[in-house]
Amino acid sequence: MDNETSTEFTVFPSYTVQPVPRLVPWLSDFHLSLLLPVAAYWFMSLIFWYIDKKDYFARYRLHTPEEFKQRNRVTAAEVLRSVLLQQAVQTALGLFLGYVTEAGDFRGREEYDIAVWAARIRRASDAIPWVLALVGIDATTLALQLHQTYTASLNVHGGATTGKPFQLMTSIISPHLGDGLTYGFTAWEISAAKVAYWILEPAARFGVAVCFSDSWQYFWHRAMHSNKWLYRNVHAHHHKIYVPYAFGAFYNTLAEAFVLDTIGTTVSLMLSGLTIRQTMCFSTVSVLKGVDDHCGYRLPWDPLQWLGEQDTRFHDVHHQSWGIKSNYSQLYTTFWDHVCGTACDKSEVELAALYEKGRVAAAAVAETTAAADGNANGNANGRGGGCGK
């Protein structure tokens, strides 16, 4: 598609769009965006499964193996089947949505978009004299003074660039003066537009996706705990896991997965306007964060646990009987928990005591069970010996 537009002072560059080359030659970026989060889920889960199996980093465990065996109300095999089914359904829905929307990324209009940003920046800079006038400053006089100061600085320093800040300020206050115009824009306008296009705009899109996703998750999650029917029929499934572990992160009913994940993610991506590749990054990091929040380890070197208060223990508290009515936030921020007063208000000392109480209770049960099994085996052996005589 070709396009060329102009205004009285600027000429926007024409462009022709074409599909972005694939990251993987034999797989479209759209299909990769569906498969990569699933692969990331199981890759991350396998890492923590291996850590569990080898009993590495035991000092950073939130729960003991005895707690895992005694308190969870669903087997690992049931969790595995449920998660695989959920991922298959979500992938199928993603394929359908991609087919309907003809999802794909295109390139070729980068210069045009940068020029559009430059025009926006010019319009914003045009307002500077009016803003200065409100506080009694004449923009033209200030620009001349800055220009004179800059010229004097060059003379004193023999052409050195120590006066660059003054030149920049002069350019901003009088933006349409100067040489080196590109599409009718000055060099500083183009530079600022590139920063806006390549850095600020994507960052804003990711910010919108995070804010909407966290808000959607919080209020639906809280509703599923507040409404008895929703909890009993939709969400209680997930809370069969009292001692969270990595691949149990997405152990949900299909109804919950559809509402919280499928609809929530789809709407957040539509509102934010993320490209396919940006979606790929956002979805994959979100999955990794979800797995990490359920991993059961509070690792000090885990970068996913550096993102803020929303870490493994924050969500683990929500899975405990004494914390189930708190800490609804997931995945990135705890904003709504603090605003709505649902963040767990227990101190570090109280939390440590509660976790220790759980460990001690599980150890006592394990010891009692082992003793009972030992007595039963002893009696069986005794009876067997008597029959042999």
Side-chain angles (χ1 to χ4, degrees):
M1 180 176 68
D2 295 325
N3 188 297
E4 182 174 356
T5 60
S6 65
T7 67
E8 182 179 354
F9 300 104
T10 60
V11 177
F12 288 88
S14 60
Y15 62 86
T16 301
V17 296
Q18 55 186 344
V20 173
R22 295 178 174 184
L23 289 173
V24 179
W26 46 269
L27 187 66
S28 72
D29 284 1
F30 170 71
H31 291 93
L32 183 61
S33 72
L34 295 177
L35 295 178
L36 193 58
V38 176
Y41 185 95
W42 292 110
F43 177 75
M44 189 81 156
S45 296
L46 282 172
I47 290 175
F48 282 109
W49 173 82
Y50 186 77
I51 290 173
D52 280 339
K53 185 176 178 63
K54 295 298 183 179
D55 198 28
Y56 294 145
F57 315 126
R59 61 179 293 193
Y60 298 114
R61 279 181 182 268
L62 293 174
H63 302 280
T64 62
E66 288 78 13
E67 289 180 274
F68 173 84
K69 294 175 184 177
Q70 296 170 21
R71 297 181 59 203
N72 285 341
R73 299 293 180 262
V74 62
T75 66
E78 290 174 304
V79 171
L80 180 63
R81 287 195 297 269
S82 178
V83 173
L84 287 173
L85 175 61
Q86 175 186 321
Q87 290 178 330
V89 171
Q90 288 179 325
T91 301
L93 287 171
L95 288 170
F96 172 75
L97 290 173
Y99 174 78
V100 170
T101 60
E102 300 181 351
D105 285 345
F106 296 88
R107 67 176 183 178
R109 56 173 289 166
E110 291 81 3
E111 288 191 8
Y112 176 86
D113 289 334
I114 289 171
V116 169
W117 269 108
R120 293 169 180 166
I121 292 169
R122 170 166 293 184
R123 287 195 295 269
S125 65
D126 284 342
I128 292 178
W130 296 94
V131 174
L132 292 176
L134 292 176
V135 294
I137 299 176
D138 181 71
T140 304
T141 303
L142 178 61
L144 290 173
Q145 291 175 346
L146 291 174
H147 181 71
Q148 291 170 358
T149 304
Y150 170 65
T151 304
S153 176
L154 290 179
N155 293 333
V156 170
H157 296 282
T161 59
T162 56
K164 280 293 183 182
F166 295 110
Q167 185 185 39
L168 178 60
M169 292 176 65
T170 303
S171 298
I172 293 175
I173 295 173
S174 303
H176 314 317
L177 302 178
D179 300 324
L181 297 180
T182 303
Y183 301 120
F185 298 104
T186 60
W188 83 267
E189 288 172 330
I190 293 295
S191 297
K194 288 180 178 178
V195 172
Y197 178 74
W198 293 112
I199 300 175
L200 300 182
E201 183 179 336
R205 293 182 186 277
F206 278 108
V208 170
V210 167
C211 290
F212 180 85
S213 179
D214 272 16
S215 300
W216 181 272
Q217 293 273 343
Y218 174 85
F219 287 106
W220 270 109
H221 189 189
R222 186 175 177 179
M224 289 180 182
H225 278 272
S226 301
N227 184 287
K228 292 182 180 179
W229 188 91
L230 283 175
Y231 183 79
R232 184 173 60 253
N233 294 283
V234 179
H235 189 56
H237 196 73
H238 184 69
H239 280 279
K240 290 180 181 179
I241 300 178
Y242 284 89
V243 178
Y245 51 94
F247 73 85
F250 287 0
Y251 177 66
N252 305 306
T253 59
L254 289 177
E256 179 177 352
F258 180 73
V259 173
L260 260 69
D261 299 327
T262 305
I263 295 180
T265 300
T266 301
V267 175
S268 69
L269 297 178
M270 291 175 62
L271 289 177
S272 63
L274 292 176
T275 65
I276 296 296
R277 291 187 179 179
Q278 290 168 349
T279 295
M280 198 184 304
C281 294
F282 178 74
S283 300
T284 303
V285 172
S286 295
V287 165
L288 292 174
K289 185 68 169 59
V291 173
D292 194 78
D293 285 350
H294 290 81
C295 72
Y297 289 86
R298 204 178 188 192
L299 302 173
W301 57 82
D302 184 346
L304 291 172
Q305 297 187 32
W306 299 345
L307 298 178
E309 184 183 14
Q310 170 66 288
D311 61 3
T312 302
R313 194 187 67 175
F314 184 90
H315 189 68
D316 189 272
V317 166
H318 176 72
H319 275 264
Q320 308 313 306
S321 58
W322 42 264
I324 198 169
K325 290 295 186 180
S326 63
N327 292 17
Y328 298 116
S329 294
Q330 47 186 30
L331 291 161
Y332 293 100
T333 73
T334 59
F335 173 81
W336 288 115
D337 266 319
H338 288 289
V339 169
C340 299
T342 53
C344 180
D345 59 359
K346 290 178 171 56
S347 67
E348 288 290 332
V349 174
E350 290 174 315
L351 289 173
L354 287 167
Y355 275 104
E356 182 60 25
K357 182 180 178 180
R359 297 185 192 103
V360 170
V365 171
E367 185 177 346
T368 301
T369 303
D373 290 344
N375 291 335
N377 290 334
N379 292 335
N381 290 335
R383 288 193 297 272
C387 291
K389 288 182 179 179

